[in-house]
Amino acid sequence: MLSVLSPNKAASQEAAYKFDIGASLGVSGYLGDANTANFMSHPGFAAGASFRYIMNTRWAIKGMFTTAGLSGNSADMENVYPGGQTYEFTSTVYDLGARVEFNFFNYGIGESYRKLRRWTPYLSLGAGVTIASSEGTHVAMNIPMGLGVRYKVAPRINLGLEWSMTKVFGDNVDGPVLDDLYDIKSSFIKNTDWYSLIMFSISYEFGERCKNCFYVD
């Protein structure tokens, strides 16, 4: 009886999954014409949802939707704008995009021969679209870059903490008033709008991989 039960127990410990869904909460920050130094000088609230395809223990592709509140005030800056004017804004941004994630360690539980670890730091890079609602609606492409750490609480449950910076290819995240303050036109590449997110996440894995395959990944 023990010889029959033992392999089943080992197999359950080594179960792997192809997908996960997650939710995240955190704080947002902004860098641009109304704040050129400390991206967390006017923190806002951020929330997101994600769907991840787990390619193997090192690589994953994640689709993500995030909303965040941004604000800034040029009165906090040492820099002085023409005429001594100060500018402030509030904006809500909606971010829809995809990222590629790379784990520094083989991430998972079980399969000791593969040296899996329950935690790992990781890097992410992707592309997406930002929709900002400051004095109108403004749409621009973006590139998010992230650094984080994740921990597997249980075979299907993961906790994560990530810091990301998103480069927006447009200069209207902080509204049209703050565009072209020095009579220097911005372009697809030349602009100053970034936003940052520090997010805590939880995700649930599903879609068990075939146990009978020799190539589990």
Side-chain angles (χ1 to χ4, degrees):
M1 184 178 295
L2 290 175
S3 65
V4 172
L5 293 177
S6 296
N8 292 336
K9 182 178 180 181
S12 65
Q13 290 176 341
E14 297 182 3
Y17 303 92
K18 294 183 286 186
F19 311 104
D20 80 8
I21 55 174
S24 56
L25 294 174
V27 294
S28 57
Y30 151 85
L31 284 178
D33 294 304
N35 177 29
T36 58
N38 181 3
F39 67 88
M40 280 297 168
S41 61
H42 294 270
F45 174 78
S50 66
F51 176 85
R52 181 184 286 108
Y53 169 55
I54 306 168
M55 301 170 64
N56 51 47
T57 59
R58 288 291 186 102
W59 294 93
I61 300 174
K62 180 174 70 173
M64 193 165 184
F65 174 76
T66 307
T67 180
L70 304 179
S71 61
N73 191 336
S74 64
D76 301 333
M77 300 163 42
E78 294 182 0
N79 189 30
V80 178
Y81 283 122
Q85 296 188 58
T86 60
Y87 302 88
E88 60 181 317
F89 82 99
T90 58
S91 177
T92 300
V93 296
Y94 304 93
D95 186 317
L96 179 63
R99 306 180 187 184
V100 176
E101 297 180 335
F102 171 73
N103 297 325
F104 283 69
F105 307 138
N106 288 318
Y107 181 64
I109 293 179
E111 300 180 6
S112 57
Y113 69 95
R114 300 174 69 190
K115 299 182 180 179
L116 297 184
R117 298 195 185 189
R118 297 183 70 147
W119 73 278
T120 181
Y122 67 92
L123 296 174
S124 68
L125 179 66
V129 176
T130 295
I131 302 174
S133 62
S134 179
E135 300 184 36
T137 301
H138 310 280
V139 181
M141 299 295 294
N142 69 49
I143 293 182
M145 298 159 276
L147 170 65
V149 61
R150 58 170 54 98
Y151 176 73
K152 188 171 286 294
V153 180
R156 294 193 183 208
I157 300 176
N158 308 280
L159 298 179
L161 180 65
E162 181 183 272
W163 171 55
S164 65
M165 291 292 295
T166 299
K167 169 67 172 177
V168 183
F169 292 101
D171 202 21
N172 286 320
V173 167
D174 44 20
V177 175
L178 290 169
D179 188 14
D180 191 22
L181 291 175
Y182 293 106
D183 294 325
I184 301 174
K185 292 292 184 181
S186 61
S187 63
F188 182 75
I189 297 177
K190 185 178 180 180
N191 63 77
T192 57
D193 288 349
W194 294 70
Y195 53 87
S196 178
L197 302 173
I198 300 176
M199 304 288 279
F200 173 79
S201 65
I202 183 169
S203 65
Y204 177 81
E205 296 181 7
F206 64 97
E208 190 170 343
R209 296 185 186 276
C210 174
K211 292 182 179 180
N212 298 324
C213 301
F214 289 102
Y215 184 65
V216 181
D217 290 338

